[in-house]
Amino acid sequence: MLSLRLLTRSLGPQINHEISHNLLAGNRSSLQTALRCLSSQSPASDSDFKVYYGILSPQIRAVKVFSLATSIGGVIAQPILLEQASKIGGTPMIVAICGIAGFFTFVTPLLLHLITKRYVTELYYDVSSKEYTASTITFFLMKQQTKFKLEDVVVPEIPGMFTTFMVGKKSLFVDPKLFPDPTHYIKIMGYDKPIDFKFEEARQSAAQEDDKK
């Protein structure tokens, strides 16, 4: 009880009144939402605050580290493998060893990068400029930031694999369940925009004509 009083006192009078109102009303879900949104805000000195975090980011980074480490080990070990293969089986053995070692050394990291390069690890929102910054992981485990505004977002009618929306030619993937405040996901996807009924009617009429044909 004492810790709760200290928490509400440090949050300020406005939020303190909100929390007290929720406590008196017994609305636990509203209280949890208020505290969760408050915890996602940045300090007052910075206009950026985190609106999304991909929970698979540590696992993806660990897998890519392991893949790159094995690739480097494969490159270092290739001269030894080729020498031993030439002694054992000659040219056929060299070709087989080069194929297997090359697959795990070069192909596997590239395939892994093609799958994970779209995964957004963090998403920040700048209140002053109304600009989002999405962070992804590059092939060499560097953080790549993509800045965009809502008008830059394109949501494909048929989303590709691991693609939620596109910024220019860059595809990005996010999990809507991981947004503490779903409002940002709704705005990015354009779900808050009014429906163009004329366009919908034209699309349905075109579909009906195709069915008749």
Side-chain angles (χ1 to χ4, degrees), residues 4-159:
L4 180 60
R5 290 179 180 177
L6 293 175
L7 174 62
T8 54
R9 184 180 300 175
S10 62
L11 291 176
Q14 183 177 0
I15 299 178
N16 187 10
H17 174 73
E18 181 182 356
I19 293 176
S20 300
H21 176 73
N22 283 283
L23 283 174
L24 292 175
N27 193 344
R28 297 183 179 179
S29 60
S30 300
L31 176 59
Q32 292 175 355
T33 304
L35 292 175
R36 184 174 58 184
C37 294
L38 180 64
S39 63
S40 64
Q41 293 182 355
S42 63
S45 59
D46 192 359
S47 60
D48 289 345
F49 66 97
K50 187 185 295 185
V51 297
Y52 175 86
Y53 175 75
I55 59 175
L56 296 179
S57 302
Q59 290 85 346
I60 290 176
R61 186 175 294 273
V63 170
K64 296 192 75 170
V65 167
F66 177 77
S67 179
L68 285 177
T70 54
S71 297
I72 294 172
V75 171
I76 295 174
Q78 272 192 0
I80 301 174
L81 293 174
L82 293 177
E83 182 181 356
Q84 296 297 324
S86 62
K87 294 179 180 179
I88 297 173
T91 304
M93 184 62 68
I94 293 175
V95 173
I97 293 296
C98 287
I100 296 173
F103 178 81
F104 289 101
T105 302
F106 302 105
V107 178
T108 302
L110 288 175
L111 289 176
L112 184 62
H113 176 65
L114 290 175
I115 295 174
T116 60
K117 69 177 182 178
R118 305 176 182 182
Y119 189 83
V120 177
T121 58
E122 294 173 330
L123 185 63
Y124 291 87
Y125 179 66
D126 189 343
V127 179
S128 59
S129 63
K130 296 182 179 180
E131 188 176 51
Y132 289 90
T133 302
S135 298
T136 53
I137 302 175
T138 64
F139 182 81
F140 294 103
L141 302 175
M142 302 295 291
K143 181 183 289 187
Q144 184 179 21
Q145 293 184 342
T146 303
K147 295 181 179 293
F148 64 93
K149 293 185 178 181
L150 294 178
E151 53 267 26
D152 301 327
V153 176
V154 176
V155 180
E157 295 183 1
I158 303 177

